[in-house]
Amino acid sequence: MSTSVSRGTSPVPPARQPRLTVLSGPSGVGKSTVVAHMRKAHPEVWLSVSCTTRKPRPGEQEGVQYFFVDDEQFDKLIANGELLEWAEFAGNRYGTPRKAVLDRLEAGEPVLLEIDLQGARQVRETMPEAQLVFLAPPSWDELVRRLTGRGTESPEVIERRLAAAKVELAAESEFDTTLVNTSVEDVARELLALLR
């Protein structure tokens, strides 16, 4: 019995092209907390900053959490095709500037988007190679506790968020991976591994 040995140079595998990673999940599940924790330890992870028509919450800064725009500016972004995705949620619109995302990917950097279900579905249509990650709460009761405990929204807005959360939880199967937010540290570590 003989074994064959291949001679010559073995092909070098191509460098892995970074892909867009989308983190989504119901409102109140802790997406922002997980991303902030991960980026504190790994500031090199580039998070796309969305624009929104919503008013800033206390402590939010222009260009850090969001780019705050009015309805007319948002309409122009849509009309000019400058948004990778956009959605309306709880009476406000949110969108991801397209150019910044594509520039970072072309530069070989992994890109993270933290967006809602509508936006994740739009990204799946326009960039099917994107990796969609669903952040799930440990339980429905825990999600309700987080949403009502914020104290920044009216009862009507909370009701809308809870109704939307039921729809969003039902869409989990549309995602490539699910992470359950039982521990911010653990989920941040798992998300970082997926980005790399």
Side-chain angles (χ1 to χ4, degrees):
M1 185 167 153
S2 67
T3 57
S4 65
V5 177
S6 113
R7 298 199 187 277
T9 59
S10 57
V12 176
R16 214 180 98 210
Q17 180 69 24
R19 63 180 176 163
L20 177 61
T21 299
V22 174
L23 180 67
S24 192
S27 178
V29 76
K31 298 182 293 291
S32 300
T33 305
V34 166
V35 170
H37 183 84
M38 181 184 70
R39 291 191 70 232
K40 192 172 182 184
H42 298 277
E44 72 279 7
V45 173
W46 191 75
L47 174 70
S48 174
V49 177
S50 299
C51 48
T52 181
T53 57
R54 138 169 115 54
K55 299 288 178 239
R57 289 187 184 132
E60 289 184 331
Q61 297 171 11
E62 172 72 16
V64 178
Q65 287 82 12
Y66 290 99
F67 294 108
F68 297 96
V69 299
D70 61 24
D71 281 313
E72 188 180 336
Q73 290 170 304
F74 203 96
D75 289 341
K76 282 182 185 167
L77 291 170
I78 295 169
N80 295 334
E82 293 179 48
L83 298 177
L84 182 63
E85 58 78 34
W86 71 272
E88 188 164 336
F89 184 73
N92 296 299
R93 291 184 291 173
Y94 299 81
T96 302
R98 178 188 303 273
K99 186 178 185 319
V101 169
L102 297 180
D103 286 351
R104 294 284 174 149
L105 288 171
E106 283 172 20
E109 297 177 46
V111 173
L112 178 63
L113 292 188
E114 178 202 323
I115 54 178
D116 75 348
L117 175 62
Q118 283 176 276
R121 285 173 169 162
Q122 288 177 48
V123 171
R124 170 69 20 111
E125 281 181 25
T126 57
M127 297 180 78
E129 70 280 8
Q131 171 177 229
L132 270 55
V133 180
F134 189 84
L135 188 61
S139 68
W140 172 254
D141 290 343
E142 175 63 16
L143 185 62
V144 171
R145 188 190 68 71
R146 289 179 189 178
L147 278 173
T148 54
R150 274 182 177 170
T152 56
E153 279 110 2
S154 67
E156 295 78 24
V157 170
I158 289 171
E159 276 308 308
R160 281 204 304 266
R161 287 188 184 277
L162 289 172
K166 287 181 180 170
V167 172
E168 289 165 334
L169 286 169
E172 181 183 338
S173 63
E174 297 175 33
F175 288 75
D176 302 311
T177 305
T178 293
L179 302 177
V180 179
N181 192 6
T182 51
S183 153
V184 170
E185 292 78 9
D186 291 348
V187 172
R189 195 165 43 248
E190 290 169 21
L191 181 59
L192 183 67
L194 289 171
L195 277 160
R196 291 179 166 168

